[in-house]
Amino acid sequence: MAKAHHHPETRDVQPRVLLAFGAGLLLFIALAAIGVKLIFNTAPTWLPLPANTNPENPGLQTAPKQDLAAFRAEEDRQLKTLGWVDRNAGIARIPIDDAMWAVVSHGLTDWSQQTAAATEPDNCALLTTAVPRAPQAESCRQQDGTGR
């Protein structure tokens, strides 16, 4: 018996077809990535960037201690001043010291037992002394007959 020479099988793998398939696959992946980027734009468009902001380096708070001090100063100013929260509804803001004095002198109102804040004489007294310019205080004065 003669020894047979073993040669590699060349019919199963064709290098040109393998290279063409690899190139086609890479082309498909690149086109798919471009298509996904065009269809599903992931850049946020709902938030405009400020003119001086670089998206690579977002602006950070430069003086946090001063910002906090200014914020607390504004809160303290609001706690110490008289002002309107909602003028049409007659909701006013009074200084915190005056509010504490009103609670100490007149006590807290039992809001669960009432339908309107300005119906009882005690509430009218509290309202006319604490927030004299509120529309509810005016209705208390008209009910009282004093008109002042």
Side-chain angles (χ1 to χ4, degrees), residues 7 12 14 19 45 56 76 110-111 128 131 135-136:
H7 295 286
D12 289 343
Q14 297 175 357
L19 289 175
T45 58
E56 308 258 334
D76 288 341
D110 186 10
W111 296 103
T128 54
V131 190
Q136 293 88 344

Side-chain angles (χ1 to χ4, degrees), residues 51-71:
N52 60 357
T53 301
N54 181 0
E56 308 258 334
N57 299 319
L60 300 177
Q61 197 172 15
T62 56
K65 289 182 182 179
Q66 289 84 358
D67 291 345
L68 181 61
F71 175 72

Side-chain angles (χ1 to χ4, degrees), residues 15 30 33 40 49 52 59 89 100 122 130 146:
F40 303 108
L49 290 175
N52 60 357
M100 289 190 292
D122 291 342
T146 60

Side-chain angles (χ1 to χ4, degrees), residues 1-9:
M1 248 192 191
K3 251 182 167 182
H5 293 282
H6 297 298
H7 295 286
E9 187 76 39

